Amino acid sequence: DAGVIQSPRHEVTEMGQEVTLRCKPISGHDYLFWYRQTMMRGLELLIYFNNNVPIDDSGMPEDRFSAKMPNASFSTLKIQPSEPRDSAVYFCASSFGQGQHTQYFGPGTRLTVL
Amino acid sequence: EDQVTQSPEALRLQEGESSSLNCSYTVSGLRGLFWYRQDPGKGPEFLFTLYSAGEEKEKERLKATLTKKESFLHITAPKPEDSATYLCAVQAWAGGTSYGKLTFGQGTILTVHP
């Protein structure tokens, strides 16, 4: 049974470039979460979706960040333009609501902005 | 605001030396407390969910317990493969059918020497 899939696993880009991170949640899960992990701030929730609808984006740091979920099996997190302080590991997680609410995490995308 | 504090930040044990990790929390109505394990370069892996004070859960050498203010992750006779970062997170009750987000602690880095 496939878990949460993220791509790319590593991304190196230059300041000012657009970055798009991708996520495929576990089939049947109706919640999807985007997190960012850094040494300084730990694991922070950026945004989450329920049934493809954004519910809470209060963790999105700036307007440079945007997220979409066009269907139940795909989501993107876009940073435009990217800055060096965006360097972090970005995780996607999914869960099945109305139940245990356990979130299952993907392997993450390590983003480096030069 | 929900807060989670984990201690110690790092713990070094000899193989077979039992110990405990602490997770102290403040939350406006606990819906669930979650323990995750994270290996280097990987996403957090779900271990346990605890819902009410007095609840305990076990998995192999790990046992998680919960009180109204803190949770402990007890590690009995650890092995080198138990080395990882252990993350604690809380979820608060949100209004109506809203989904309370997870608030994570900074984690405890556990190293078990053979």
Side-chain angles (χ1 to χ4, degrees):
Chain A
D1 187 18
V4 176
I5 299 172
Q6 291 187 247
S7 66
R9 292 297 312 278
H10 302 273
E11 177 80 35
V12 180
T13 189
E14 293 188 348
M15 184 174 63
Q17 296 298 306
E18 178 179 295
V19 175
T20 299
L21 311 182
R22 297 172 176 79
C23 175
K24 176 179 170 57
I26 293 172
S27 177
H29 281 189
D30 55 350
Y31 283 86
L32 183 139
F33 307 83
W34 282 101
Y35 288 88
R36 178 171 67 177
Q37 187 174 43
T38 61
M39 289 294 293
M40 289 296 295
R41 300 176 67 89
L43 202 57
E44 302 175 284
L45 177 66
L46 300 177
I47 185 172
Y48 77 87
F49 296 82
N50 177 218
N51 292 322
N52 314 337
V53 177
I55 302 300
D56 184 350
D57 65 355
S58 60
M60 296 285 261
E62 303 172 29
D63 291 344
R64 299 184 295 107
F65 285 70
S66 62
K68 294 182 179 180
M69 192 165 186
N71 58 62
S73 59
F74 183 66
S75 178
T76 60
L77 178 67
K78 187 175 294 186
I79 308 173
Q80 166 63 17
S82 58
E83 296 182 3
R85 60 193 168 122
D86 300 330
S87 297
V89 181
Y90 290 81
F91 289 103
C92 175
S94 70
S95 72
F96 178 65
Q98 306 306 315
Q100 194 179 26
H101 295 280
T102 299
Q103 295 182 22
Y104 296 90
F105 284 75
T109 295
R110 180 172 294 278
L111 173 65
T112 303
V113 183
L114 303 174
Chain B
E1 184 178 329
D2 303 336
Q3 288 191 321
V4 179
T5 303
Q6 292 189 245
S7 61
E9 291 185 8
L11 180 63
R12 305 174 78 127
L13 300 173
Q14 288 296 125
E15 184 172 3
E17 179 187 2
S18 301
S19 188
S20 297
L21 312 182
N22 178 262
C23 171
S24 297
Y25 65 90
T26 55
V27 64
S28 55
L30 181 69
R31 186 173 195 176
L33 185 140
F34 299 77
W35 282 98
Y36 284 84
R37 167 191 171 130
Q38 186 174 22
D39 292 298
K42 296 189 176 181
E45 176 188 347
F46 170 72
L47 292 174
F48 304 108
T49 309
L50 302 168
Y51 292 101
S52 58
E55 188 175 2
E56 298 183 354
K57 288 194 176 174
E58 289 188 61
K59 180 180 180 179
E60 297 181 356
R61 295 176 293 282
L62 301 176
K63 183 170 81 171
T65 61
L66 181 65
T67 72
K68 290 186 177 180
K69 295 183 178 180
E70 58 191 350
S71 176
F72 291 94
L73 185 64
H74 306 278
I75 303 175
T76 302
K79 298 182 178 181
E81 53 261 42
D82 294 322
S83 297
T85 296
Y86 290 85
L87 297 167
C88 171
V90 296
Q91 183 184 53
W93 283 102
T97 58
S98 299
Y99 189 113
K101 69 178 186 179
L102 290 184
T103 300
F104 281 85
Q106 289 288 84
T108 293
I109 302 171
L110 174 67
T111 305
V112 182
H113 296 283

